[in-house]
Amino acid sequence: MPRKRPFSAKQKKKQLQDKRERKRQGFQDGVRSSSNSRSGSHDRHEEHTDTSDSESFSLQVRKLNQQPQIRKPGERGYDPNRYRLHFERESREEVERRKKIAREKILEPVPEIETEVDIEDVYKTGSVLDFPKRPPWNYQMSKDQLLAREEKCFREYLENIYSTFQPNQLSYFEHNLETWKQLWRVLEMSDIVLLITDIRHPVINFSPALYEFVTKQMKRNLILVLNKIDLAPPALVVAWKYYFKSRFPEIHVICFTSYPQQDQDPSAVFKKRRKRRKGWSTAMGPNQLLSSCETITAGKVDLSS
């Protein structure tokens, strides 16, 4: 029998590193992951998640953007999948039905006026199509009590929506409670809230329910940032700015772009002479944002730094 060759500690370490690397590369998207590592909740299945403990309400949820787990199972630490997107999982029958309609139905152009929708027809005051609000809490509550109350409130929020609307009447919206928890805590800690929207269709990213909650109930200041104005004509930027200021008077509206063009300043849209801007250092928006914050704080906070 041949004599074994010596195996150094350095070689053993390299062998273990290679083994761990192979495990990481072989990590598949269908593994079981924890939905809330900090709260110690049990693992849920990758593709199908029951968002309720009640037998009367069961919802199939699809989790997207799975990230590999670097740490070992059971080891405490940061969970990269904590804020994954959770959307309702459509049935195979529904997907096939829509495919069939798309193959059979001939699309015909419609007048532009028919494609316009009033924002009041979508976001109605008191509608169940609201964003979930954090339930009342205090510092005397334990961690488990707070988590249980938040989960119950979020479950009732989903139940109200799906008891009022059929799934095919709803668009995609976030079913991950961890994401909503972050929104709740950020709003509570903030004095000024920035809401960034795309100038090409800002009402898609703007929630009147969030506006009412932040400005009326929480008494916070809200700044709306119309982003990427270099991708829209200046006249359209002016029109959107006027629209938001007239419909939502308690909001502060600023325009932002990292690549301003020579005719991009909305205040100069009706002027004949326009000053050419060059370079990334002339980005439009930071000065307006600082000016809005100074107006809101009214000199009570030093913003010079």
Side-chain angles (χ1 to χ4, degrees), residues 19-135:
K19 185 177 180 181
R20 284 195 294 266
E21 186 63 25
R22 288 194 298 269
K23 286 185 177 180
R24 292 174 188 173
Q25 294 177 355
F27 193 91
Q28 299 297 325
D29 187 63
V31 299
R32 298 171 64 90
S33 62
S34 172
S35 64
N36 186 357
S37 60
R38 297 188 182 181
S39 63
S41 59
H42 61 278
D43 289 349
R44 298 177 179 176
H45 194 272
E46 166 65 21
E47 293 293 342
H48 297 80
T49 302
D50 185 0
T51 60
S52 171
D53 295 332
S54 172
E55 297 180 356
S56 61
F57 180 72
S58 180
L59 185 65
Q60 303 298 325
V61 172
R62 182 180 183 184
K63 302 179 182 180
L64 307 179
N65 300 333
Q66 168 75 16
Q67 301 297 320
Q69 292 277 9
I70 305 300
R71 58 188 176 84
K72 299 178 181 179
E75 182 181 357
R76 299 188 64 180
Y78 174 72
D79 183 5
N81 297 305
R82 187 180 182 191
Y83 304 110
R84 291 178 62 188
L85 297 175
H86 290 192
F87 292 145
E88 182 195 3
R89 181 179 178 85
E90 297 176 310
S91 64
R92 185 179 298 274
E93 292 76 12
E94 176 65 19
V95 174
E96 293 299 328
R97 185 186 68 84
R98 290 212 302 264
K99 286 183 179 179
K100 183 178 179 181
I101 294 177
R103 289 192 296 264
E104 296 176 351
K105 188 175 181 180
I106 301 177
L107 298 179
E108 298 180 357
V110 297
E112 185 176 353
I113 189 64
E114 295 185 10
T115 63
E116 297 181 359
V117 179
D118 192 340
I119 196 170
E120 297 296 336
D121 295 336
V122 180
Y123 299 101
K124 296 182 179 180
T125 305
S127 172
V128 296
L129 296 178
D130 199 345
F131 74 96
K133 301 178 179 62
R134 190 180 190 184

